[in-house]
Amino acid sequence: DVKVTQSSRYLVKRTGEKVFLECVQDMDHENMFWYRQDPGLGLRLIYFSYDVKMKEKGDIPEGYSVSREKKERFSLILESASTNQTSMYLCASSLPGQGYGYTFGSGTRLTVV
Amino acid sequence: SQQGEEDPQALSIQEGENATMNCSYKTSINNLQWYRQNSGRGLVHLILIRSNEREKHSGRLRVTLDTSKKSSSLLITASRAADTASYFCATDRTGGGNKLTFGTGTQLKVEL
C-alpha cells in the first residue's frame, strides 16, 4: 500500500526552537507539499516541491523553510518556533501534471509552548 | 483567500439517508477534487472531476460540477456511520501547476 509517512504524530516544542518535520513517500512521486490546517481556515499551502532540490513558496511561507535533498523526502523547518505556529501539519505527494489526487500523511500536531 | 467554500459547515443525518455537500469556488479550474478526513487524521482522496466533465460516480459517491456557476456538489447515498468525517473540496486552478487550494470543509455526522 502506498504511503506518505510523517515522522511524528504529536510534537511539543518551546518558543524559539528550530523544529524539523519530516515527510517520506514511497511512491516515487515528483510533487510534494506541506500544508497547515487550522480550525475555520482549512488547509493552507506553506511550501511545495516539484523535484529534488526544487522548492516554491506557497501561500503562507513566512517563518518556514523546506529541504528536498532526495526525491522521497521533504522536510519542513520552523526556523524559530512561535506559538502562532501551533497547528496540524500535513504532508502530501502526487504525480506530476494535472489530474492526479494527493496522497496525504497522517499529520503532525505541533504545539509550541 | 479561500478558493473553495463548502456548504453547509456541518450536517447531521440518520444512517441510510443521503448527504449532500456543496462547494463554491472563485477562479477557473483544471479539476476539482473531494477529500475525506477522519478526526485528527490525514486527508483521503475520494474523487476527481475535470473541468470538462459534469458528473462523475464512484461507488456511493456522486459528484457534479457546474463551471458556469463555479460550484460542485458531493452526494453520498445510503450513508453509514463510518461516513462520519469532514469533507473538503479542493481546486486545481488553471495555471496553478497542480497546487490544490482547499476549502474549510463540511463536518458530516451520520447517526445510527
Side-chain angles (χ1 to χ4, degrees), chain B residues 87 104 112:
Chain B
Y87 292 81
T104 52
L112 294 169

Side-chain angles (χ1 to χ4, degrees), chain A residues 4 25 27-33 49-50 68 71 91-104, chain B residues 33 35 97-100:
Chain A
V4 175
Q25 50 97 1
M27 296 164 285
D28 203 33
H29 283 173
E30 280 79 0
N31 297 350
M32 296 189 77
F33 307 86
S49 169
Y50 290 148
R68 193 163 182 202
K71 190 176 185 179
C91 175
S93 71
S94 77
L95 287 169
Q98 297 163 13
Y100 297 103
Y102 288 6
T103 301
F104 278 86
Chain B
Q33 305 178 27
Y35 289 79
N98 198 33
K99 293 178 299 179
L100 293 182

Side-chain angles (χ1 to χ4, degrees), chain A residues 9-10 31 33 35 37 40-45 48 50 57-59 88 90 94-107 109, chain B residues 1-2 9 30-31 33 35 37-45 48 50 86 88 92-105:
Chain A
R9 186 82 183 92
Y10 297 95
N31 297 350
F33 307 86
Y35 287 83
Q37 182 178 20
L41 297 177
L43 279 75
R44 292 179 291 167
L45 181 63
F48 61 100
Y50 290 148
K57 293 179 180 179
D59 298 320
M88 168 72 100
L90 292 161
S94 77
L95 287 169
Q98 297 163 13
Y100 297 103
Y102 288 6
T103 301
F104 278 86
S106 295
R109 189 168 292 280
Chain B
S1 63
Q2 292 295 330
Q9 289 188 336
N30 296 315
N31 63 73
Q33 305 178 27
Y35 289 79
Q37 183 180 38
N38 290 92
S39 180
R41 308 299 295 185
L43 280 72
V44 175
H45 180 255
L48 180 152
R50 300 177 197 279
S86 293
F88 294 85
D92 179 2
R93 287 180 276 193
T94 303
N98 198 33
K99 293 178 299 179
L100 293 182
T101 303
F102 287 81
T104 52

